[in-house]
Amino acid sequence: MRVNINKVGAAYLLFIIIALVVIFRIIDLQFIHIPEPTRKITRNDKLECTRGSILASDGRYLAFSIPEYRLTIDPCQAVDSVYTKEIDSLAICRSEYYGDYKPSYYKGLIDSGRKSGKQYLRINRKLLTYQEKQKVASFPLLRRGRFGGGCLFEKVDHRNYPYGRLGYRTLGYIKHQDSIPVIGLEGSCDSILRGTHGMQPLRLTEGGNWIPDHDKETIFPVDGLDIQTTIDIDFQDLAQNALQRILEKTTELHAGTVILMEVATGEVKAMVNLEKTKHGGFDETYNYAIGRRGEPGSVFKGATLTMLIDKGLVTLDTEMPAVVSWQYGKGKPFVDTYLRNYSTISVKRGYEIS
C-alpha cells in the first residue's frame, strides 16, 4: 500500500495545532481569564431541632413545642412532561383544600415562578399540622417529593402552654422563633431547652435539581432537653384563685404575689403574680416575686410566728407583756403608741395590730 507522506504530515500538523489550542485554552481559563461562576452549585439547608419541654413536679407538661409545617415549592424541579400533566390537578386540590383562591390563581402563581426560575415559592403563610401535612403531600406533583416535584415543608415549632396563663410569667415565653428568650424559665434554661440545629449539604445537578451532597457530612439536629420544675400545678391553681379573690375585694391593691415553698427543702411549689388590667380582669405580666425584691419587713413576722407555734412555744391565745417603749443602743427610746392601752396582749391581737 502506498502512503501519501504529504497527507500524513498534514494530519499530524493539524492534531498538533489542535492540541496546542486546547492546552492554551486550559491555561487561559485556569490562570488568565478565570470565568466568574454563574450560580452557586452548593448550599447548606438548616435542619430544625425541637425545643425541650417544661414539666411540673409530677411530670405534667407546663410548656411544650408542637411542630407545624409551612409548604413551599420549587416550581423548577419537575421535568416539563410531569409539570404539564399535573399542574392543573395540583391547583384544583390546593384551591379546594385551602378554600381561599380559585385554581387559576394557584396555577398562575406557580407558572410565573417556574418561568422566572424561582427556586423558593411560598404559596401562603398557613401552618399545617402533621396530619394536614400528610394530606397536602399526597397532592399531584407534590407527591413526587422534594426532588421530583419540588415539595418542601418548613418546620416551625409552635410553643404551647396547656394551662393557659397559669404561672405564665414564671414559665416565661419566647418573643419569636429566632430570638433569645430572657423571660422566666424559658430564658434562664434556654441553653438546655433550645437544642442545636443541624445542616444538610446540597449540590446542584446539571439538570438544575438540588440533591443531597453525600461527599459532605450531614449534621443531624439535636433536640433540646426537657426540664422538670418543682411547681405543683394544683397548688399553683389554688394559690392563684386565692390571690385573685383578695384582689377582687379591694380597690386599694393593684397587684399581688404568692410564693408557696416546701419548708423542709425550700422547693418552690407555686409562684403567682397577678395584676389588674385596665379592662377589669387579671393577668400575669410582671414577676413581682422576683422583680420587686426588698427587705421583708413585717411580712417576716408571719414566718416567725408560724415557727413559734409549730415548736409549741406559744399559741394564738398566749398572753405576752405589752412593752410600750424600748431603746436600741444609745439612741432615743422607741415608743409603740398602739400598746399604750395594754398591759398584756395576746399573740393573736399583737400580730393583728403589728
Side-chain angles (χ1 to χ4, degrees):
M1 183 177 69
R2 187 175 181 180
V3 179
N4 191 323
I5 298 300
N6 293 332
K7 291 183 178 181
V8 173
Y12 274 115
L13 181 60
L14 179 61
F15 282 122
I16 292 173
I17 294 173
I18 293 174
L20 291 175
V21 170
V22 170
I23 293 172
F24 175 79
R25 184 57 178 164
I26 292 174
I27 295 174
D28 181 62
L29 292 176
Q30 289 289 330
F31 304 105
I32 303 175
H33 298 100
I34 303 174
E36 293 291 334
T38 56
R39 57 178 173 173
K40 191 176 181 181
I41 60 174
T42 61
R43 77 179 190 205
N44 294 318
D45 278 8
K46 184 170 70 172
L47 300 177
E48 298 281 351
C49 63
T50 299
R51 189 173 180 83
S53 301
I54 301 177
L55 310 177
S57 59
D58 59 359
R60 282 183 282 181
Y61 286 95
L62 297 174
F64 59 91
S65 293
I66 299 177
E68 295 181 315
Y69 304 89
R70 182 183 293 115
L71 173 65
T72 59
I73 296 177
D74 181 353
C76 301
Q77 283 285 6
V79 297
D80 291 339
S81 58
V82 172
Y83 182 84
T84 303
K85 180 181 179 181
E86 299 187 8
I87 182 58
D88 290 327
S89 300
L90 173 61
I92 293 172
C93 288
R94 288 191 62 82
S95 176
E96 292 178 348
Y97 188 80
Y98 287 97
D100 48 4
Y101 298 107
K102 294 181 179 179
S104 58
Y105 167 81
Y106 284 115
K107 185 176 185 301
L109 186 66
I110 300 173
D111 280 343
S112 177
R114 185 177 175 87
K115 290 177 182 178
S116 62
K118 194 171 185 178
Q119 296 179 329
Y120 179 89
L121 182 63
R122 181 181 294 176
I123 305 299
N124 55 36
R125 295 184 176 273
K126 178 177 173 60
L127 294 177
L128 307 171
T129 64
Y130 179 78
Q131 291 75 15
E132 292 172 335
K133 168 182 172 287
Q134 296 296 94
K135 175 65 176 178
V136 172
S138 67
F139 288 171
L141 193 63
L142 301 184
R143 59 175 169 242
R144 296 181 178 272
R146 179 175 180 177
F147 304 109
C151 175
L152 175 63
F153 289 99
E154 293 180 343
K155 180 184 174 185
V156 179
D157 276 344
H158 173 70
R159 202 65 169 165
N160 186 276
Y161 300 91
Y163 295 95
R165 305 294 289 188
L166 187 66
Y168 185 70
R169 192 56 182 71
T170 302
L171 295 176
Y173 53 86
I174 307 172
K175 294 181 179 180
H176 57 79
Q177 187 180 3
D178 296 324
S179 70
I180 299 176
V182 293
I183 305 299
L185 291 173
E186 293 278 19
S188 61
C189 300
D190 178 60
S191 60
I192 301 172
L193 292 167
R194 67 169 175 255
T196 305
H197 296 304
M199 184 182 67
Q200 173 65 68
L202 301 175
R203 64 182 178 85
L204 189 64
T205 67
E206 294 181 358
N209 298 321
W210 290 97
I211 63 174
D213 189 350
H214 297 295
D215 293 333
K216 297 181 179 179
E217 181 184 3
T218 298
I219 301 175
F220 294 97
V222 178
D223 292 339
L225 299 177
D226 297 341
I227 61 170
Q228 186 167 18
T229 70
T230 59
I231 297 294
D232 185 297
I233 296 175
D234 299 323
F235 288 160
Q236 182 78 23
D237 186 48
L238 290 171
Q240 178 167 311
N241 290 333
L243 178 59
Q244 184 170 329
R245 286 195 299 269
I246 296 298
L247 293 176
E248 288 173 339
K249 292 178 180 179
T250 177
T251 58
E252 297 179 357
L253 297 178
H254 173 68
T257 182
V258 173
I259 305 175
L260 180 62
M261 300 178 67
E262 176 64 55
V263 178
T265 62
E267 293 180 351
V268 176
K269 292 298 181 180
M271 184 180 290
V272 183
N273 297 276
L274 283 185
E275 182 177 345
K276 292 181 179 178
T277 66
K278 61 182 180 180
H279 302 294
F282 297 90
D283 196 12
E284 290 213 358
T285 57
Y286 183 79
N287 196 329
Y288 290 93
I290 303 298
R292 291 288 182 89
R293 289 173 292 184
E295 295 179 0
S298 293
V299 176
F300 198 73
K301 296 175 183 177
T304 304
L305 179 57
T306 302
M307 182 272 295
L308 290 172
I309 295 175
D310 185 60
K311 296 289 186 180
L313 300 177
V314 298
T315 68
L316 293 178
D317 298 322
T318 301
E319 292 287 331
M320 305 291 290
V323 181
V324 178
S325 66
W326 63 94
Q327 185 173 349
Y328 290 109
K330 298 181 179 181
K332 294 181 178 181
F334 180 83
V335 178
D336 191 337
T337 57
Y338 286 102
L339 296 179
R340 288 185 183 276
N341 300 325
Y342 294 91
S343 58
T344 62
I345 189 170
S346 69
V347 170
K348 180 179 178 181
R349 181 57 182 162
Y351 185 73
E352 288 174 349
I353 65 176
S354 160

